[in-house]
Amino acid sequence: SARPKKFHRPFRTPRILRLCSSLSGQPMHMSRILHGVTRGARCTMEHVKLACSYSTPASGPAQVALNTLADNDGATHQRRRVGRGIGSSKGKTAGRGHKGQKARSGGGPKLGFEGGQTPMRLRVPKRGFHNPFSRDYQPLNLGRLQEWIESGRLDGSKVITMKDLRDTNAVRRNIRDGVKLLAKGKEEFGLDNIKLEVSQVSEAAKSAIETRGGSVTKVYYNRLALRALTRPEWFASKGREVPRSARPPPKLASKFDRVGETL
């Protein structure tokens, strides 16, 4: 006699009703109820609606808690796991096909490769140039200098060096090649007998200070000597001697009054 065919028996309704009635008043995600009751058995839409009606309170506002928060249906998807057998439609070659550059590990052309033709980065002409002899100065305006002296951050009775400007945050701390004094705020500038030592100064700023009995000295420091001037403790922590400043290049010698001195 032939064996009768086995069918999946749907779960009995009283079982899910008993569970949902025990959870009445405690909102619960529908997937957790179905997983705990059906355990893989088939169910009908009527059973699902019945379970949802018993899992939430019939009256009153919906309760929201950390254990009831869930994404909307379709908001998240599980990623396709490749190389898990031919029945998954992405087994064996895992969707990469047979051989070739794209089938290899890390395969694919490099970024910007256009099949052998001249890429865009080489077809576009160059513009401008880079000056290897340029110097990067931190700007300091007369208005900021006057504000710092009047507020007591800087002592106007002594010579103000670039170390004083850096320590009081009058300029940025990453001084690369020095400080340049500019003339913004010269109309309101009213300090007398101010003495400054900076790398460069504009003509308008220099005349504004000299008309009130002050002076501006353009001092040359290379980058190593400028670090020794502004951060001498760095060399002491490394057990090194504080270096002296080098002489300026011949093309820059006329732009400075003298060579700076380190501490």
Side-chain angles (χ1 to χ4, degrees):
S1 62
R3 282 183 77 178
K5 295 183 179 180
K6 290 185 177 180
F7 296 95
H8 290 282
R9 184 180 63 179
F11 63 91
R12 292 177 296 177
T13 304
R15 184 180 179 184
I16 191 171
L17 292 179
R18 286 195 303 267
L19 178 63
C20 294
S21 61
S22 65
L23 297 175
S24 180
Q26 299 179 6
M28 196 173 186
H29 200 277
M30 184 182 63
S31 61
R32 294 182 59 188
I33 297 176
L34 295 180
H35 178 74
V37 177
T38 62
R39 295 175 183 172
R42 295 180 180 178
C43 60
T44 61
M45 185 56 65
E46 289 76 15
H47 296 149
V48 174
K49 292 180 179 178
L50 192 60
C52 293
S53 63
Y54 272 86
S55 61
T56 56
S59 61
Q63 300 180 11
V64 179
L66 291 178
N67 60 337
T68 61
L69 296 178
D71 291 325
N72 296 329
D73 294 336
T76 59
H77 302 273
Q78 291 185 348
R79 69 178 184 87
R80 178 61 66 95
R81 300 177 69 225
V82 297
R84 294 300 185 269
I86 60 176
S88 65
S89 76
K90 285 293 184 287
K92 193 187 173 186
T93 55
R96 289 174 174 256
H98 291 275
K99 300 183 181 179
Q101 187 183 26
K102 294 184 179 180
R104 314 298 183 189
S105 175
K110 64 180 181 180
L111 185 64
F113 183 71
E114 299 182 11
Q117 69 179 13
T118 305
M120 178 66 72
R121 61 183 178 84
L122 297 180
R123 293 200 302 267
V124 177
K126 295 180 180 180
R127 291 184 62 88
F129 69 99
H130 171 69
N131 183 10
F133 304 104
S134 63
R135 297 178 64 82
D136 184 16
Y137 295 120
Q138 291 290 334
L140 174 65
N141 290 293
L142 290 177
R144 191 179 185 89
L145 177 64
Q146 181 173 353
E147 179 185 356
W148 252 241
I149 294 177
E150 290 178 349
S151 61
R153 303 183 192 181
L154 288 173
D155 187 4
S157 60
K158 65 177 184 179
V159 179
I160 300 175
T161 63
M162 288 184 283
K163 175 177 173 54
D164 300 328
L165 297 175
R166 181 183 181 274
D167 293 342
T168 58
N169 292 327
V171 294
R172 292 183 178 180
R173 301 184 65 86
N174 56 342
I175 301 178
R176 296 177 61 86
D177 295 313
V179 178
K180 183 172 182 178
L181 185 64
L182 302 177
K184 184 177 180 180
K186 65 178 181 179
E187 294 81 5
E188 296 81 13
F189 187 77
L191 300 178
D192 299 331
N193 302 324
I194 299 299
K195 296 181 180 181
L196 283 171
E197 288 187 358
V198 292
S199 300
Q200 291 295 319
V201 58
S202 64
E203 292 296 331
K206 185 176 182 180
S207 62
I209 291 181
E210 290 180 348
T211 52
R212 290 190 166 271
S215 63
V216 181
T217 305
K218 296 183 290 185
V219 185
Y220 174 79
Y221 287 96
N222 60 349
R223 291 193 176 183
L224 184 62
L226 192 59
R227 181 191 294 182
L229 173 69
T230 57
R231 298 174 57 193
E233 67 279 357
W234 184 87
F235 295 90
S237 64
K238 300 293 183 179
R240 304 178 185 177
E241 296 182 358
V242 179
R244 295 183 300 175
S245 179
R247 290 179 296 178
K251 292 184 178 181
L252 298 178
S254 60
K255 297 183 178 181
F256 297 92
D257 297 330
R258 62 178 179 85
V259 179
E261 299 177 355
T262 57
L263 299 179

